[in-house]
Amino acid sequence: MTLDGTYLRGSLAGVLSVLRHAACPESIAFHFVASSASPPRRLARLRAALAAAFPTLPAAIHRFDARLVRGRISSSVRRALDQPLNYARIYLADILPPTVPRVLYLDSDLLVVDDVALLWATDLGPRAALAAPEYCNANFTSYFTDAFWHHPAYPAVFANRSRAPCYFNTGVMVIDLDRWRAGDYTAKLEYWMDVQKQEARIYELGSLPPFLLVFAGDVKAVQHRWNQHGLGGDNVAGQCRELHPGPVSLLHWSGKGKPWLRLDAGRPCPLDALWAPYDLLRRQGARDDLLAAAA
């Protein structure tokens, strides 16, 4: 997970949910990625907040060099999507030590309500580097601009995929880091970011479209229960939404509306009540000044 002041409450809630529902929580190691642009004092406060919430948590905090993406980020539909740390997931194979062969990447606005080991153990098959829930009913063409689809060469990137490309949400991904490194996937993602920045505006949604361009059609599909996403509404209004039909193992407040902000404003959506019990920095007896110091 990433770790910063803006999403600290979400990150801590996510960690608590993982531990609370794990059959063997002592087997889980956490890796947090913080921006290298954060002043040392702020990083120390984030470490203190994490330690105060989970004194014995086996965790490492890694620094992400924001300079890797500053020249590659183009404006999107929501400012939060333009932050360098949102792109850190592209560099996990470089950030994490080579002794970590597989990682489960989780966004900081979700709750896990099942044993996370079941998701982590997803069988990736003989070739896939990434597993995630796919949503093939979504309008895949809408994730790219007309400039992309009308280009003589760009759409051919999907021609040789294992199957037709489908949308997947990058907030929940099981990644084989050894296969990622072998496939040089970081460079492939950077290529499309450079195309967007230097040649043509081919997408509007931050770090998601490069993942679709590189992996859609070759993703190992995971059951939808592992990413009940969109609970934060769309990227503009952040309106309330209901759960998708079916079982739930992970609740994801992707979109503009975050549960801690709506709860603080006194205008929560019905499903935000499910997030509230995991809010360590606003529960009875929690120190509000710790949250303010880490922001």
Side-chain angles (χ1 to χ4, degrees):
M1 304 176 77
T2 57
L3 191 66
D4 69 344
T6 302
Y7 282 84
L8 177 61
R9 286 171 73 182
S11 295
L12 296 183
V15 171
L16 178 60
S17 73
V18 169
L19 296 173
R20 180 171 291 178
H21 296 281
C24 189
E26 61 271 19
S27 69
I28 303 173
F30 289 85
H31 294 270
F32 298 95
V33 181
S35 173
S36 62
S38 297
R41 183 177 297 179
R42 181 173 296 175
L43 182 61
R45 289 169 175 167
L46 290 172
R47 289 183 185 274
L50 185 63
F54 306 103
T56 62
L57 187 73
I61 298 180
H62 308 271
R63 303 297 296 271
F64 168 61
D65 188 353
R67 294 173 298 180
L68 290 169
V69 295
R70 287 202 185 278
R72 294 186 165 105
I73 296 175
S74 55
S75 61
S76 63
V77 296
R78 185 159 58 91
R79 185 176 179 183
L81 301 177
D82 303 337
Q83 302 306 307
L85 199 57
N86 189 46
Y87 291 80
R89 69 196 81 189
I90 292 174
Y91 296 90
L92 292 177
D94 302 318
I95 295 170
L96 302 183
T99 53
V100 180
R102 173 182 287 217
V103 67
L104 171 59
Y105 175 83
L106 298 176
D107 269 350
S108 297
D109 54 0
L110 55 75
L111 297 177
V112 177
V113 292
D114 202 341
D115 186 0
V116 76
L118 300 173
L119 177 59
W120 188 89
T122 298
D123 181 4
L124 289 171
R127 293 188 301 171
L130 187 154
E134 291 184 303
Y135 304 90
C136 295
N137 290 331
N139 181 6
F140 187 78
T141 60
S142 68
Y143 290 95
F144 303 98
T145 65
D146 289 343
F148 173 84
W149 292 114
H150 294 158
H151 192 274
Y154 295 159
V157 68
F158 299 116
N160 296 316
R161 301 292 166 90
S162 301
R163 58 191 184 281
C166 293
Y167 160 73
F168 65 95
N169 180 278
T170 57
V172 180
M173 298 185 289
V174 181
I175 301 173
D176 186 311
L177 294 175
D178 290 336
R179 291 181 183 177
W180 184 291
R181 297 182 185 104
D184 201 17
Y185 287 115
T186 296
K188 293 174 181 177
L189 289 158
E190 287 180 332
Y191 166 78
W192 287 109
M193 293 168 66
D194 290 339
V195 168
Q196 163 84 346
K197 193 69 175 179
Q198 301 171 15
E199 298 183 18
R201 189 168 182 85
I202 58 175
Y203 56 79
E204 304 286 351
L205 280 175
S207 63
L208 167 65
F211 273 88
L212 298 180
L213 288 162
V214 173
F215 292 106
D218 287 332
V219 170
K220 176 69 174 180
V222 176
Q223 288 181 314
H224 288 174
R225 67 188 301 155
W226 285 107
N227 194 350
Q228 284 269 350
H229 69 294
L231 303 185
D234 63 16
N235 283 305
V236 179
Q239 71 274 31
C240 297
R241 287 186 176 173
E242 298 179 353
L243 288 175
H244 306 295
V248 179
S249 294
L250 187 150
L251 300 159
H252 187 186
W253 279 262
S254 58
K256 183 179 181 181
K258 302 307 175 189
W260 56 92
L261 298 178
R262 297 193 294 214
L263 287 163
D264 286 355
R267 297 189 298 272
C269 293
L271 290 176
D272 295 344
L274 300 176
W275 186 89
Y278 296 88
D279 186 8
L280 293 175
L281 293 183
R282 283 289 187 262
R283 289 169 63 176
Q284 184 176 2
R287 292 177 54 194
D288 289 350
D289 60 331
L290 180 61
L291 175 62

